Amino acid sequence: MVDVTISEAAEKLKSGAVVAFATETVYGLGADATDPAAVAKIYAAKGRPDFNPLICHIADLSQLDGLVSVDERARRLAKAFWPGALTLVLPRRPDCPVAPAVSAGLPSLALRMPAHPQARELLRLVGRPVAAPSANRSGHVSPTTAQHVRDSLGPDIAVLDGGPCPVGLESTVIGLTGPQATLLRPGGVAAEEIERILGEPLARPQDMKLESPGMLLKHYAPRLPVRLEVAAPLPGKQEGLLSFGPPLPGFAHVVPLSVSGDLVEAAANLYAGLHELDEQAGLDGIAVMPIPGHGLGQAINDRLTRAARGR
Ligand code: TXA
Ligand code: MG
């Protein structure tokens, strides 16, 4: 394992290397977004299909105008939710210095200003937009600790350890390239909150796969099969339980997402819980209690559905 300091991480990024770093949502695998060779290293490290566009991370609002066309909706959302768990997809400017590979050739760019203090300091030191998808091998569960990153990407990856990620779910991705703001991926900011600031409902594409390739169903899959909306143990099975509210009895191993039924707490514990059960010896499946669909429950259920279907 290669633990790096913040100044080493910044130097590595400036010289074209990849570094994993903590954000408040999940760990990202970063590279200088303006350097095509550096960006290619992200795709290589993740084993990611190259049609999948990446999120560009910025430290400061002043970086925004040089990259994308910013409209009134984008300004309002950025003011309300940045720094934070929101990603905005906006039209690239013709002179945008970000490598086309970051957009996977699309005429748009996904941007986010993270809130994690260490990520903000890192981005400030680098002074350039940093492309960073979640720091896991493509198709694996996203990492919310430095150890998850090493387990998924191997011991040679440089990691800036910023502790466990407090939000624990990827950012919400909003498309602003057309007349109607579109929910491309539910995430760490609830869709209801975004609609309140926009003053209009978000469009929800029927087939998110086409709009946002990161929504591929194979995403977020643990090794073990996942069973959802569970009300009782299956006879003869050794399942681990992800519980919500008071845990059901009769399971081999229980990881509580939130004993009090708090969706924010459950989101923060989701990926760590999936990782823990997936690594537990002797289990043959993961059972998940029902999670309500409002607020962050929408993103939690989205990831769980993918985890259940995606193997
Ligand atoms: O919380 C997060 O968003 C984390 C941290 C590291 O910032 N990053 C992350 O990146 O989840 P990634 O690459 O795993 O997911 C990026 C998402 C995908 O769903 C991708 O398809 C979508 O953003 N996306 C990126 N650029 C896009 C574009 N130009 N148009 C549509 N969707 C885009
Ligand atoms: Mg990801």
Side-chain angles (χ1 to χ4, degrees):
M1 126 200 148
V2 191
D3 257 329
V4 294
T5 65
I6 192 159
S7 51
E8 286 166 350
E11 284 315 310
K12 276 182 179 291
L13 288 171
K14 283 200 267 189
S15 65
V18 296
V19 178
F21 63 99
T23 80
E24 73 278 23
T25 58
V26 299
Y27 273 72
L29 183 63
D32 177 353
T34 64
D35 177 348
V39 172
K41 292 180 192 165
I42 296 180
Y43 287 109
K46 278 187 66 91
R48 164 168 242 180
D50 66 358
F51 46 76
N52 214 340
L54 310 174
I55 296 173
C56 229
H57 297 71
I58 56 175
D60 197 277
L61 270 184
S62 65
Q63 287 172 283
L64 197 59
D65 285 305
L67 304 175
V68 288
S69 308
V70 184
D71 63 12
E72 158 63 21
R73 299 172 300 181
R75 282 193 205 287
R76 220 181 313 152
L77 292 178
K79 183 155 183 272
F81 299 110
W82 280 359
L86 177 73
T87 294
L88 300 176
V89 177
L90 293 161
R92 288 173 68 111
R93 283 176 57 112
D95 54 351
C96 178
V98 169
V102 173
S103 300
L106 295 169
S108 54
L109 183 63
L111 285 160
R112 175 162 107 80
M113 188 193 294
H116 194 294
Q118 196 187 54
R120 288 177 62 76
E121 177 64 6
L122 177 66
L123 292 167
R124 202 187 57 74
L125 289 172
V126 175
R128 289 175 220 153
V130 170
S134 51
N136 52 282
R137 280 195 71 78
S138 193
H140 288 194
V141 174
S142 295
T144 57
T145 65
Q147 190 58 45
H148 293 159
V149 176
R150 293 175 199 120
D151 291 346
S152 187
L153 293 180
D156 295 338
I157 198 81
V159 185
L160 175 60
D161 191 340
C165 304
V167 174
L169 271 182
E170 295 87 344
S171 60
T172 305
V173 181
I174 301 293
L176 294 175
T177 54
Q180 217 190 344
T182 305
L183 180 65
L184 295 176
R185 178 178 74 182
V189 177
E192 295 96 316
E193 275 187 68
I194 295 169
E195 290 174 328
R196 196 168 51 76
I197 297 293
L198 278 176
E200 61 182 34
L202 289 166
R204 287 165 168 81
Q206 277 311 54
D207 189 355
M208 290 209 193
K209 239 176 2 187
L210 292 179
E211 278 278 357
S212 197
M215 299 304 293
L216 287 174
L217 278 180
K218 224 176 81 59
H219 248 70
Y220 312 111
R223 186 176 54 84
L224 293 174
V226 177
R227 195 162 65 91
L228 302 181
E229 309 276 339
V230 164
L234 277 184
K237 287 272 179 193
Q238 288 292 312
E239 287 179 317
L241 180 71
L242 279 184
S243 63
F244 184 79
L248 290 167
F251 285 88
H253 189 96
V254 178
V255 175
L257 291 177
S258 170
V259 174
S260 66
D262 180 325
L263 289 166
V264 174
E265 185 187 9
N269 291 329
L270 177 67
Y271 287 137
L274 284 172
H275 279 286
E276 180 176 335
L277 291 178
D278 215 20
E279 282 149 24
Q280 195 69 28
L283 295 182
D284 50 24
I286 297 174
V288 189
M289 289 173 66
I291 314 256
H294 60 85
L296 291 194
Q298 188 186 3
I300 295 171
N301 282 312
D302 171 81
R303 303 307 190 273
L304 285 171
T305 307
R306 284 163 207 288
R309 265 196 261 163
R311 295 172 67 248

